[in-house]
Amino acid sequence: MTADARRQRLRIVCRGVVQGVGFRPAVHRLATSLALVGWVRNGPEGAVVEVEGTDSAVRSFMRALPRSLPALARLDDMDAAPIPAAGETTFVVLPSEAGQRSRALVPPDAALCSDCRAEMDRPEDRRYRYPFTTCTNCGPRFTLVRSLPYDRERTSMACFALCSECEGEYTNPADRRFHAEPVCCPACGPRLWVEQPGAGDMARGPDAIRLAGAALERGVIVAVKGFGGFQLACRADDEAVVAQLRECKRRPTKPFALMVRDLATARTLVALAPEDEALLASPRAPVLLAPRRPDAAVASGVAPGLSDLGVMLPTTPLHVELFRDAPFNSLVMTSGNLGDEPICRGNREALDRLAGIADLFLLHDRDVVRRADDSVARTGPGGPALVRRARGYVPEALPLPVETPVPVLALGPFLQVTACLATGQEAFCSQHVGDLDGEPARAFLREAAEGLEEFLEIRGELIVVDPHPDYPSTWLGQEMARTRGVRLLSVQHHLAHAAAVLAEHGRFPERGTRAAAIALDGTGWGPDGTAWGGEWLTLDGELRWTRLAHLEPLPLVGGEAAVREPWRVAAVALAAAGASELLGRLPMARLVPLETLVTIVGLGSQPTWPRATGAGRLFEAAGALLGLAAVNGYEGEAAARLESLAESGGPAIPWDEVRLPAGTALPSAALLAAAARRVVGGEEPARVAAGFHATFCRLATELTARVVPPAVKVVALGGGCLVNRLVRRGLGEGLAGAGFEPLLPKRLPPGDGGLSYGQAVLGGVAAARGVEPSLKGEA
């Protein structure tokens, strides 16, 4: 018998995103095309395949499988082992094998695919205009599933019995709806209706969509149930209804996201590169922050004072139907919540919590198992980068630099919080939780953390928290560690930023090596009693770290009031730089009375105020100095307005008059004073804003070259200020020009939304290498 004719059988364990994505049908098609017999099924490790046939056919299968994946699948590795032949005559798909999850993953929710959209557009199709159309290439996944393996009975679709036609699709390996767990049709799927608070149902099915669309056209606010919870929608070109939504939602200035009919509409509103359009139209379909076109037909109240608009395409069939016959091309589509509370998930919850905001509710009876906001990305140098990671990305795994010997649960800081669970060589970040100001958000953090553990069937045995003693996330970690009897580890805030970026790029230091990092954010607990936020660090493979340099500390007169009112920082900094005589001549004096500014300057000389090195505080102070915002209506508003102004200022030229002094501190006060002198001298504010950014990046590059050891070339850039396009570009290009290898966050938010991943990385490395990072670093 020739080697080619010899029969063999392989058992192949496939790991990665291989459940709920059409992987088994793809395996079935490939195996039968090669005349192989055997089976495929889902299991705790991922997908398990047994193939039997001629030696050449089995080898062809192994070569072809990685190239035959469906759109949403990701094959991380395959373990193949020969086993005795079984002698079957067919290749079949077996029921899933139960058991504790080992490596099985479920993909994130995916936006409507082109095949399903085409069916919805065909009048003769049975899913014509059906708002729950889905297949293995699109639809809810993470927000739908209760536990693994990913099968219909473990999702919120379990209560919807399949009709005969859907059953035929679901059981046919040749159909793209084979084992598409959310599959349904008008005969057997979820029902849609529109309801008015206190008045009950007003319409059902297609009539409900028509009624909601007509209400939106008239300027009504409508609550819409999406994949991961509720959204609040209104006309994007109607100033009055946008103002009403702001007032009712208690969101005075924070920008709203827009949902647009199609890419053609998006192009009329914002400037998009080809890679930006590809991301918008991808299964991830995030909100994308992009430069606003001057003639964009959008109410000024959508994003006041900002040069970007956040746009997204319809992500669900229901959104598609809202736009189908509508006279409008764009809608505000913002989180269905009040202020910074968690997004509403259930119908009754939404009717109760959103009754004072929405006039109509577009509801359905498919439960949202896990609430998840829209993800947000931003255009910029090197392509789009994430700002908020949720729908479309979660629960996608991120790499760990080492295999952690114990499961690590990290709980993030205070703002933009996520949880992260690390196990083996992977870390799983939760959906965006948000700021922990109120009890609902704190309860959501617990829900997200415990939900990750339940979903992955793993319980954290090492809890990692921020060392700030007043963070609710720290309290939660302390409680969990105490009740479970497990170890609690505190890791310094900016060290976690550094670890997140290094690990994302696979450049976390091995034993005996070092990397550098620049962490630029608003506030993080400093072990010296100050509020850190502009930090130059080195980190080695034994988790020893050193603070090399920082921004010049500035007093926060009034404590937290100085964070809300950045003019306080600006006024005191000008006095420290010997420029207090400029106070009354600045645009800032039109927002704050001169006598108030003088009073704050006087108080600033007292040594009792907390001192902060935060880059966020510096950029906010510059925004206040130029009269862009007296009060931050949301985190970093004055800095965001400063960046928007700078982008209109033409070529940015660093200022020669601001030089880096001797020592290890970037001269924050001198930089603000130079900006003040220029604007008082008549320079256009936009040029001042652009020059401020350019000068900061030049000073930061020079400081890096001065303090980073010559042998260290890798520099990770993290912290919320790296959302700023000008800072990303200026620092990235400046450091590269100085001979460094700058690493910019892309797959994770640069700010505190990615911090739990850095905490989990440090916890995993500490457990694996038997070391522990000091809270204070080394001299």
Side-chain angles (χ1 to χ4, degrees), residues 143-165:
T143 58
L144 185 85
V145 64
R146 302 186 190 279
S147 63
L148 297 175
Y150 179 63
D151 289 306
R152 189 177 180 96
E153 63 266 24
R154 299 180 186 89
T155 74
S156 59
M157 290 298 293
C159 58
F160 297 97
L162 292 170
C163 67
S164 59
E165 288 183 273

Side-chain angles (χ1 to χ4, degrees), residues 265-334:
T265 303
R267 294 184 191 113
T268 69
L269 301 182
V270 294
L272 297 170
E275 62 267 29
D276 303 329
E277 295 190 3
L279 180 60
L280 276 174
S282 73
R284 298 189 187 280
V287 176
L288 184 64
L289 301 171
R292 176 177 182 158
R293 294 195 181 279
D295 56 349
V298 172
S300 61
V302 166
L306 300 182
S307 57
D308 274 8
L309 290 175
V311 299
M312 61 177 158
L313 298 181
T315 54
T316 74
L318 179 55
H319 292 128
V320 168
E321 292 307 315
L322 275 177
F323 280 101
R324 185 178 292 276
D325 298 321
F328 47 79
N329 289 320
S330 61
L331 292 170
V332 167
M333 194 68 70
T334 189

Side-chain angles (χ1 to χ4, degrees), residues 578-658:
S580 56
E581 77 280 0
L582 302 176
L583 286 173
R585 302 164 62 191
L586 290 168
M588 180 169 65
R590 296 195 291 267
L591 302 177
V592 183
L594 179 59
E595 56 269 27
T596 303
L597 294 172
V598 172
T599 298
I600 292 299
V601 167
L603 293 172
S605 61
Q606 299 176 6
T608 54
W609 299 114
R611 301 175 70 80
T613 62
R617 303 288 86 83
L618 174 63
F619 282 91
E620 290 168 356
L625 185 148
L626 293 176
L628 302 178
V631 178
N632 280 324
Y634 54 91
E635 185 199 7
E637 179 180 6
R641 288 177 178 248
L642 179 75
E643 181 196 357
S644 292
L645 182 64
E647 288 184 325
S648 67
I653 301 172
W655 302 331
D656 290 336
E657 68 266 28
V658 187

Side-chain angles (χ1 to χ4, degrees), residues 752-771:
D752 286 357
L755 195 87
S756 65
Y757 172 60
Q759 291 175 331
V761 167
L762 290 169
V765 172
R769 296 180 181 170
V771 294

